[in-house]
Amino acid sequence: FMFVEISFIQKIILLLENPSYAVAVLLTSILISSGIGSLLSYRTAIIRMPHALLALSIFVIAYSIFLPDIINAISPYPMPVKIIAVFLVFMPPGILMGIPFPTGLKVLGQTDDSYIPWAWAINGCFSVLAPVLAVLLAIMTGFRAVLWMGAAAYLAAFIIFSFESLRPLEQKPRELSE
């Protein structure tokens, strides 16, 4: 999550002409849309499928390729239009980014409830460490590579969840409701 978010912030700093604007607009867009994705994953069983992870990985790679063109198309407009456009452009990946964690918590809770606090703790630790690691990796490899690493992490999660769903029924934990 943080690799993608930090890379997106870097990509729009020049468009919004100020790092503070870039952080504020992008974080607002990603947090609101990931909240929507989280809510949708809670209410809609089809979204909890591993394919959301694959779609997210594809979206991130597509954004890494097409974002310069999108930025060029938005750049001639006045600042209020740029802010609204950036907000809307980053909502689709944000919605998809909101799905994996609550879905993972739901699966984990149906396997063993005692692991949920650990999942929250690990998420908190990585939320602190990942931005620093993203910047360090970007210095060495570039922000596009960090964006691709984020996409690769979501792709790896898709593969893991896909294999999990292929296990024989007698080996599976309690199934998701809905």
Side-chain angles (χ1 to χ4, degrees):
F1 191 96
M2 290 295 183
F3 276 26
V4 174
E5 188 176 67
I6 296 296
S7 298
F8 281 164
I9 289 171
Q10 186 275 336
K11 298 287 184 192
I12 64 163
I13 287 175
L14 287 177
L15 173 67
L16 296 181
E17 303 169 8
N18 186 323
S20 298
Y21 292 167
V23 170
V25 172
L26 191 90
L27 280 181
T28 302
S29 177
I30 295 289
L31 291 177
I32 288 173
S33 58
S34 65
I36 292 168
S38 178
L39 182 65
L40 289 174
S41 72
Y42 175 74
R43 295 184 179 207
T44 311
I46 193 79
I47 292 178
R48 287 193 298 260
M49 304 300 279
H51 295 42
L53 292 163
L54 179 62
L56 177 55
S57 183
I58 292 168
F59 257 80
V60 170
I61 291 170
Y63 271 58
S64 75
I65 295 167
F66 297 112
L67 199 53
D69 295 331
I70 294 169
I71 289 171
N72 286 338
I74 298 170
S75 64
Y77 294 100
M79 187 58 72
V81 175
K82 289 179 187 178
I83 289 171
I84 292 168
V86 166
F87 185 87
L88 294 174
V89 162
F90 288 100
M91 282 200 76
I95 289 171
L96 290 172
M97 288 168 66
I99 296 170
F101 188 67
T103 301
L105 285 179
K106 190 163 189 84
V107 170
L108 192 60
Q110 292 183 345
T111 303
D112 187 352
D113 288 342
S114 67
Y115 292 134
I116 291 177
W118 282 103
W120 278 103
I122 292 167
N123 181 62
C125 287
F126 278 103
S127 293
V128 172
L129 296 175
V132 175
L133 183 59
V135 172
L136 290 174
L137 288 170
I139 290 169
M140 295 170 39
T141 63
F143 279 102
R144 180 177 272 190
V146 173
L147 202 52
W148 289 350
M149 288 178 211
Y154 283 116
L155 185 60
F158 164 72
I159 292 167
I160 290 167
F161 271 99
S162 294
F163 282 124
E164 175 69 21
S165 66
L166 294 177
R167 284 192 330 177
L169 288 176
E170 65 273 0
Q171 295 178 359
K172 284 188 182 180
R174 297 183 309 238
E175 292 295 320
L176 290 173
S177 60
E178 296 180 75

